[in-house]
Amino acid sequence: MWEAPTLLGSALTQTMWTADEIAQLCYEHYQTRLPKQGKPEPNREWTLLAAMVKIQPAIDQACGGANKPVQVTKEVVSMGTGTKCIGQSKMRKSGDILNDSHAEVIARRSFQRYLLHQLHLAAALKENSIFVPGTQRGLWKLRQGILFVFFSSHTPCGDASIIPMLEFEDQPCCPISRRWANKPSEEASDNPETPEDEKKYEDLGSPVTKKMRLEPGIPDGVAHCQSLDNQESGPVPPTVSSSNVPTQELATVAGRAPSGAKVVDVYRTGAKCVPGEAGDSGKPGAAYHQVGLLRVKPGRGDRTCSMSCSDKLARWNVLGCQGALLMHLLEEPVYLSAVVIGKCPYSQEAMRRALTGRCQNVSALPKGFGVQEVTIQQSGLLFEQSRGAVQAKRADSPGRLVPCGAAISWSAVPEQPLDVTANGFPQGTTRKAIRCLQARSQISKVELFRSFQKLLSSISEDKWPDSLRMCHPSSTSLCHQPEGDPSFCVQCLPCACVTYT
């Protein structure tokens, strides 16, 4: 059985790929491997893209010299598109609906399908599996040298989208000081004379504001928040003009960026602070948002229980991408080695803060878990069906540009690799057919659980890990969590339910 050579992760991630190579690979995969069904309608709809890319040293590296350039293979193993999530009232205890269909979440759940398939191969002693036996009975670990890079065509919604807007500059934003990225509100709260009735600071003469005020269901003064529960997962330009911000306050916000331009505002995120926690100040300019907070994706009327993609990526960076189910069979978590973002409004400091910086105080984790120092890079390549790209192409086309209502899941598995959904169910599902087996997405909680049961049934019970030998999962029912993956304790498969995941 072939084993890849031992390579230092830091050197490997710096020499074997570039951000543009990862982006181009994902864009080509989207164009050639994903069906027309589920993709945006040309010149009328846009969508978001995310993917997981496997990086593996070439076989001949085992024979190469120490100074030989690293040669690797890059393969997309999962992909997702989507912009929506369902409201709390539409969640189902049966686990047969997708609560969150943002591209990042679809790509990660598709990745879990891929990992399940690879564990099937490993259990059948197939040499082409990415897993090899671990040191403990019934546990597996990643083959040496294999890394995973997460790609997203856009900045994740939530904390990572609170990024600086420079004077006379639209996008992408230049990186700014670590001090401002971590605590902009502290530097911008020195103006005690701000009237209470100016909290919303809406510039009624702004063209953007006028446009947003025409949107149904959006109250005045909330134009910064994208509508529905299908908000783009990237940053939203503010609707207040910098002329509303006192000059003295601007001077205390951030001074100047490395480019010499002033930081006069921040891109807004539609993700809302978790109820009961500290909230946004709503002050003008760079003080509008509080940074580092946990947020939920917005909904119209019916609020969601889906955490922002920034929060989910931060969680995966601590707990791994495999989920609690597969952790029963793995010796160590499956972590991301890098995150690559496509061309869009972007701040390196905000990304670092959102994904790793605010997790530094996390402690008391089980053995093998920890906050990872993931590499974060941006590509200069634009996704052709992103909101910005489609907007630029359509020019003065009639009608409103809207997010695509469908989500596409693709996994590198032999059976049913594609899954196209809308409103959490396979596209075309009627209300009458919702309870049928055919009305379940392959990446829904219940279907992932069934796949896990099928995997266990292919393994002799005397080869199960200790955490599963105390109870038989085939006789247990799926835990009814309101959002996220089925989560299981070590002693017994059913878990304690949580409100947000």
Side-chain angles (χ1 to χ4, degrees), residues 409-428:
S409 161
W410 181 90
S411 301
V413 298
E415 297 181 8
Q416 294 182 268
L418 280 164
D419 199 44
V420 181
T421 57
N423 299 315
F425 292 107
Q427 195 172 46

Side-chain angles (χ1 to χ4, degrees), residues 25-26 29 51-55 74-79 107 110-115 118 130 147-149 410-413 417:
L25 179 68
C26 294
H29 190 95
M52 194 76 75
V53 179
K54 181 184 71 171
I55 308 291
K74 299 182 287 290
E75 177 190 1
V76 176
V77 295
S78 75
M79 180 166 282
S110 302
F111 181 60
Q112 290 175 315
R113 280 195 75 198
Y114 168 76
L115 295 180
Q118 291 296 318
I130 64 171
L147 304 176
F148 292 103
V149 176
W410 181 90
S411 301
V413 298

Side-chain angles (χ1 to χ4, degrees), residues 165-169 247 250-251 254-257 259-265:
M165 176 175 284
L166 303 185
E167 190 176 31
F168 308 122
E169 183 177 54
T247 305
L250 279 177
R256 295 184 179 273
S259 64
K262 288 183 180 179
V263 176
V264 296
D265 213 324

Side-chain angles (χ1 to χ4, degrees), residues 251-284:
T252 62
V253 169
R256 295 184 179 273
S259 64
K262 288 183 180 179
V263 176
V264 296
D265 213 324
V266 290
Y267 281 87
R268 310 287 163 78
T269 177
K272 307 300 183 183
C273 298
V274 172
E277 299 294 330
D280 292 321
S281 70
K283 292 181 179 180

Side-chain angles (χ1 to χ4, degrees), residues 198 200-205 209 213 219-223 239-240 244:
E198 288 183 14
K200 294 179 181 177
Y201 297 99
E202 183 178 11
D203 180 7
L204 299 179
T209 300
R213 281 168 63 87
D220 293 346
V222 196
T239 61
V240 293
N244 287 349

Side-chain angles (χ1 to χ4, degrees), residues 308-328:
S308 73
C309 290
S310 292
D311 297 335
K312 291 189 175 184
L313 278 163
R315 184 180 67 188
W316 303 340
N317 198 46
V318 176
L319 302 180
C321 293
Q322 72 291 325
L325 267 181
L326 290 184
M327 199 60 223
H328 281 285

Side-chain angles (χ1 to χ4, degrees), residues 445-487:
K445 287 183 285 189
V446 67
E447 285 302 309
L448 288 177
F449 182 58
R450 282 164 55 90
S451 297
F452 180 75
Q453 288 179 311
K454 184 177 179 181
L455 170 61
L456 287 187
S457 67
S458 69
I459 303 173
S460 174
E461 286 192 37
D462 62 345
K463 295 182 179 179
W464 285 9
D466 293 340
S467 64
L468 292 177
R469 292 168 62 84
M470 300 176 184
C471 60
H472 202 299
S474 62
S475 62
T476 63
S477 59
L478 177 66
C479 170
H480 301 330
Q481 282 188 209
E483 216 285 327
D485 303 318
S487 178

